[in-house]
Amino acid sequence: MKRLLLILALLPSCKKEQAATAPASSLPPQVAGLERRDGMVLLPGGPFTMGHDGTFQTPFGPKEFPEESPAHKVTVNPFWIDETEVTNAQFAAFIEATDYVTFAEREVNAADFPAEARDSLPAEKFTNGGIVFREDAAIEGNPNLPGRAIEWWRWDPTANWRHPAGGDSSIEGKDEHPVVCVTYEDAHAYAQWAGKRLPTEAEWEFAARGGLEGKTYAWGDELNPDNRWMANTWQGEFPNSNTGEDGFTATSPARTYPPNAYGLHDMAGNVWEICSDLYDPAYFSDCDPDNPQGPAVWVNRDTGRRGEGTIHRVTKGGSFLCHVSYCMRYRPSARQSQDTESPTNHTGFRCVKDAKPPGAP
């Protein structure tokens, strides 16, 4: 809620279903030997290099991501992981079975807001809502936008997983798109209902790399090999013009783009994915190398303060809003965070579950 309040203050206008299994012919040869069941893949675990050191050379100059360093060796245990992000249809089944109310849909008392913000609140009852990318603000030639990220977003009390861009939007006909406008609490509740859990950051990165050690992207070192877009990201000029060269300007259905070498879709782009780890940009400097579970205390990415304010959890993978000039976080090593009270229309999740030891029933 802290980020919702910040944006509100600055911008006052402002029956359990499994994913379908892809045909074997559509999968890369590397995944042929992996066990696959009920829309999940069993990954072997093992050691890999997590994170990234140094800079990336881009058409917009060198880019550094200090929160990804130092690169370090870690080992993860075997685990099952969803082939795709959790879809609207899967999340709807959870809601129908449990009557769960997401954070964005819960009613809010205006008295809980700072006095200086109350003039901007709706007169009628309203809900927590979500944070939505302001397409109307991305105006060609606006000199303020590139340097003021907060201008790109608006708080909308009508935004939620059913209406990801606000009350006038809908997920009708988008059953296979990833669910968005969810928080860590919402994702955790779904995972428990499904008999699963959220991945650790290390598990997520291991899965995204698909066995490709040291590569920039989940598929290699070239962003669009053979002029083929491999993920749902932003093309054009950010944030003024999304040309949609990859076929989409918002979320895309699961399985739209080629899977990685483990048969997993959308490990880059489409929507950010929530992990179980608390977020600390310096965590890799003192990371447990054996099946790491994340730091004991979070760092608030907005203030830099440790253990203060709203909890921040790691998010991975980038989204349809990521562009090389600004974000470039559609890479396995990329990491960011979500304020656990700030659902957005480009953040979702996928689930994992522990692999049973050999011989276990």
Side-chain angles (χ1 to χ4, degrees):
M1 198 63 183
K2 297 298 184 184
R3 188 175 297 170
L4 294 181
L5 294 178
L6 173 63
I7 290 181
L8 179 63
L10 295 178
L11 296 173
S13 62
C14 99
K15 29 194 207 195
K16 189 169 167 182
E17 181 178 331
Q18 298 290 347
T21 300
S25 60
S26 71
L27 296 174
Q30 297 94 321
V31 79
L34 298 178
E35 186 177 352
R36 301 167 62 245
R37 183 191 312 155
D38 297 328
M40 303 188 82
V41 178
L42 177 59
L43 299 187
F48 76 104
T49 301
M50 186 176 182
H52 176 266
D53 289 321
T55 62
F56 294 97
Q57 298 302 320
T58 79
F60 299 88
K63 294 186 74 67
E64 295 184 4
F65 299 89
E67 72 277 5
E68 298 176 25
S69 65
H72 56 291
K73 283 283 188 182
V74 301
T75 299
V76 296
N77 297 334
F79 62 100
W80 290 89
I81 185 167
D82 289 342
E83 292 176 336
T84 71
E85 294 147 334
V86 172
T87 65
N88 286 321
Q90 291 172 313
F91 199 77
F94 158 64
I95 298 296
E96 182 178 357
T98 63
D99 293 325
Y100 180 85
V101 179
T102 65
F103 176 87
E105 297 171 290
R106 296 171 195 167
E107 285 193 2
V108 179
N109 187 341
D112 293 336
F113 284 74
E116 61 271 20
R118 291 174 193 160
D119 289 343
S120 301
L121 298 176
E124 66 281 358
K125 285 186 177 180
F126 63 99
T127 60
N128 281 317
I131 300 174
V132 179
F133 183 73
R134 296 184 65 195
E135 294 183 7
D136 61 315
I139 301 171
E140 187 75 31
N142 186 335
N144 295 321
L145 287 175
R148 299 184 60 188
I150 197 165
E151 298 281 0
W152 308 336
W153 300 92
R154 74 176 190 273
W155 171 63
D156 190 327
T158 68
N160 56 58
W161 74 276
R162 305 173 200 268
H163 307 286
D168 293 335
S169 66
S170 171
I171 59 171
E172 185 175 354
K174 297 182 177 180
D175 283 356
E176 296 308 309
H177 286 238
V179 66
V180 294
C181 283
V182 290
T183 64
Y184 168 81
E185 179 186 5
D186 302 330
H188 177 69
Y190 172 93
Q192 285 194 311
W193 171 79
K196 304 176 184 180
R197 59 177 174 81
L198 295 179
T200 65
E201 180 179 5
E203 289 172 330
W204 196 100
E205 186 167 332
F206 177 89
R209 290 188 177 279
L212 298 180
E213 185 80 1
K215 297 297 183 180
T216 302
Y217 306 106
W219 52 86
D221 285 321
E222 190 177 350
L223 178 58
N224 53 338
D226 299 322
N227 293 317
R228 182 182 188 185
W229 291 103
M230 303 294 287
N232 182 6
T233 60
W234 184 293
Q235 294 87 49
E237 181 185 351
F238 186 86
N240 295 324
S241 173
N242 188 347
T243 62
E245 291 176 20
D246 60 8
F248 298 89
T249 57
T251 60
S252 54
R255 306 179 191 280
T256 296
Y257 298 90
N260 74 355
Y262 284 159
L264 307 175
H265 294 263
D266 288 334
M267 300 304 288
N270 212 6
V271 299
W272 284 97
E273 299 185 19
I274 302 168
C275 295
S276 61
D277 295 36
L278 298 173
Y279 177 77
D280 181 347
Y283 174 58
F284 286 179
S285 297
D286 188 27
C287 176
D288 185 346
D290 185 15
N291 207 44
Q293 303 293 303
V297 181
W298 75 93
V299 171
N300 186 306
R301 187 162 56 91
D302 298 322
T303 66
R305 296 182 181 275
R306 184 176 300 275
E308 293 185 11
T310 309
I311 295 172
H312 277 237
R313 299 271 178 177
V314 170
T315 54
K316 298 282 284 184
S319 79
F320 64 87
L321 294 177
C322 280
H323 184 266
V324 65
S325 66
Y326 179 74
C327 175
M328 200 191 169
R329 287 189 169 90
Y330 35 77
R331 299 171 289 101
S333 62
R335 56 200 307 260
Q336 196 164 273
S337 73
Q338 183 198 44
D339 171 338
T340 53
E341 294 184 351
S342 293
T344 69
N345 70 326
H346 70 148
T347 301
F349 67 101
R350 79 178 69 213
C351 298
V352 301
K353 63 181 181 180
D354 296 330
K356 292 181 179 179

